[in-house]
Amino acid sequence: GINAEYMGGVFHQLVNARMVKDAVHTPKLFGKWSMDSVEIADLSLTDYIAKKNVFLPHSAGRWNKRRFRKAQCPIVERLTNSIMMHGRNNGKKLLAMKTVREAFEIMALATDQNPLQVCVDAIAKAGPREDSTRVGTAGIVRRQAVDVSPLRRVNQAIYLITTGSREASFRTIKSLSECLADELMNAAKGSSNSYAIKKKDEIERVAKANR
């Protein structure tokens, strides 16, 4: 039979080669940025912002088949999906990926930070923490303030960021990727120049009035 020691040696070589290969080939987004160093500042959102290393934000995965499955979807992919909105852009994921890539390039140049970190910070800061819902019977409707779940905060943040950048780029010379980069950078700073932060403050203000 084959020498067991020899086989053991071969196995170890394979494992070592695999480890080296993995170290070299940790998937980096667009071949440039890694998720490893990204910190999620808000503890409550750690389970809902998926820090998955991917080459491209295009997994063709079915993230909506089961409740909460979309929380596992890489966060950049969720941003990409949210960009393809309004009938004429539906399903144009390659275009959305190009937009995200350009926006990340702009952010990397403008902030000297990992654009993934900026993106995660923006999403953590842009989701409203308190909202108001309609409570009422038989025509008497009043608003009641409620806390917002972590998943909805992430969903809302992504929606507000993409909506803000879409509106900012509409009928102007600025491209969508420039507006998206601006929106993400402002939201990450918590600056009220960001559409998402403005909306979040407004939602929280209304909720506070309805406590």
Side-chain angles (χ1 to χ4, degrees), residues 40 42-51 68-73 75 78 150-151 154:
I40 300 173
D42 192 325
L43 198 66
S44 60
L45 301 181
T46 44
D47 292 340
Y48 295 95
I49 295 180
K51 289 175 36 173
F68 296 126
R69 167 97 44 91
K70 61 182 178 184
Q72 262 75 60
C73 178
I75 194 70
R78 296 201 60 194
L151 182 61
V154 174

Side-chain angles (χ1 to χ4, degrees), residues 7-180:
M7 283 309 288
V10 169
F11 177 71
H12 277 300
Q13 280 174 336
L14 284 172
V15 168
N16 289 343
R18 181 70 203 273
M19 280 164 67
V20 169
K21 185 164 178 264
D22 283 352
V24 174
H25 292 292
T26 302
K28 287 192 174 139
L29 184 71
F30 301 122
K32 294 187 177 185
W33 301 292
S34 165
M35 262 288 188
D36 295 337
S37 60
V38 172
E39 299 284 320
I40 300 173
D42 192 325
L43 198 66
S44 60
L45 301 181
T46 44
D47 292 340
Y48 295 95
I49 295 180
K51 289 175 36 173
K52 218 172 265 180
N53 273 315
V54 285
F55 289 113
L56 291 174
H58 193 319
S59 65
R62 300 194 303 232
W63 298 102
N64 262 332
K65 281 288 185 193
R66 192 182 298 145
R67 194 178 176 199
F68 296 126
R69 167 97 44 91
K70 61 182 178 184
Q72 262 75 60
C73 178
I75 194 70
V76 186
E77 182 165 357
R78 296 201 60 194
L79 185 71
T80 309
N81 291 342
S82 186
I83 287 170
M84 345 178 247
M85 272 191 194
H86 291 306
R88 55 182 186 174
N89 299 321
N90 285 0
K92 299 184 183 174
K93 194 155 179 179
L94 296 183
L95 186 64
M97 274 167 52
K98 184 170 169 243
T99 304
V100 170
R101 180 179 190 157
E102 285 170 3
F104 275 29
E105 299 275 10
I106 293 167
M107 290 195 299
L109 288 171
T111 60
D112 284 335
Q113 273 179 295
N114 183 345
L116 286 165
Q117 181 68 62
V118 180
C119 176
V120 166
D121 288 347
I123 288 169
K125 284 183 185 168
R129 291 159 297 189
E130 189 181 26
D131 202 347
S132 40
T133 181
R134 294 179 55 170
V135 175
T137 47
I140 306 158
V141 173
R142 51 182 289 267
R143 310 292 295 275
Q144 171 67 41
V146 289
D147 296 335
V148 181
S149 74
L151 182 61
R152 180 161 167 83
R153 280 177 58 192
V154 174
N155 298 348
Q156 281 279 77
I158 293 172
Y159 170 76
L160 291 174
I161 286 166
T162 50
T163 306
S165 39
R166 193 177 300 115
E167 284 183 12
S169 70
F170 192 56
R171 293 202 181 142
T172 53
I173 307 172
K174 277 181 88 168
S175 70
L176 179 57
S177 40
E178 289 172 317
C179 293
L180 181 62

